Amino acid sequence: ILHEEETIWLFLLVTVVMGGGAAFLAGRAIAKVWQPWWTLILASMVLGLAVRFLHHALFGGTMLSAQYYVVDTLFCLAFGFLGWQTRRAMQMTRQYSWIYEKSGPFGWRQKAG
């Protein structure tokens, strides 16, 4: 249901490592210019196409498959959102250091007092 290749390793390499890594960096770049999270949807759709092309060109996968495109795009969206959220947490605590402090790698909270 997740991959069409003979082994899961090809799926992990192309979709998770390559596509997820690119999506994580794209999410950080989108957050860096203070764009809202929903702009990740368009970027993830484009990256989903790129991942589908890599599956097709490198390993003979199906290029135009709605099922695998949705899976690849959802992985890209998840990794992109992680990148966006980590950058946004850093921005909020750095830009507004008198109001917010970091609370983990993905969040921030209002300072006490």
Side-chain angles (χ1 to χ4, degrees), residues 4-5 10 51-65 68:
E4 63 183 329
E5 289 82 10
L10 295 177
V51 170
R52 268 291 87 212
F53 176 75
L54 289 175
H55 279 289
H56 171 70
L58 297 177
F59 305 108
T62 308
M63 177 67 186
L64 300 175
S65 169
Y68 298 125

Side-chain angles (χ1 to χ4, degrees), residues 31-82:
K32 186 176 183 180
V33 293
W34 292 92
Q35 292 294 317
W37 68 267
W38 52 264
T39 56
L40 279 170
I41 295 171
L42 181 61
S44 296
M45 291 171 69
V46 172
L47 283 171
L49 280 174
V51 170
R52 268 291 87 212
F53 176 75
L54 289 175
H55 279 289
H56 171 70
L58 297 177
F59 305 108
T62 308
M63 177 67 186
L64 300 175
S65 169
Q67 174 188 356
Y68 298 125
Y69 170 71
V70 168
V71 169
D72 293 340
T73 302
L74 288 176
F75 270 92
C76 288
L77 186 61
F79 279 93
F81 185 73
L82 287 175

Side-chain angles (χ1 to χ4, degrees), residues 92-112:
M92 293 298 285
T93 56
R94 187 176 288 169
Q95 184 78 20
Y96 306 107
S97 60
W98 67 91
I99 301 173
Y100 299 118
E101 62 186 3
K102 241 177 145 132
S103 69
F106 303 112
W108 61 92
R109 64 175 171 244
Q110 199 164 11
K111 286 186 174 180

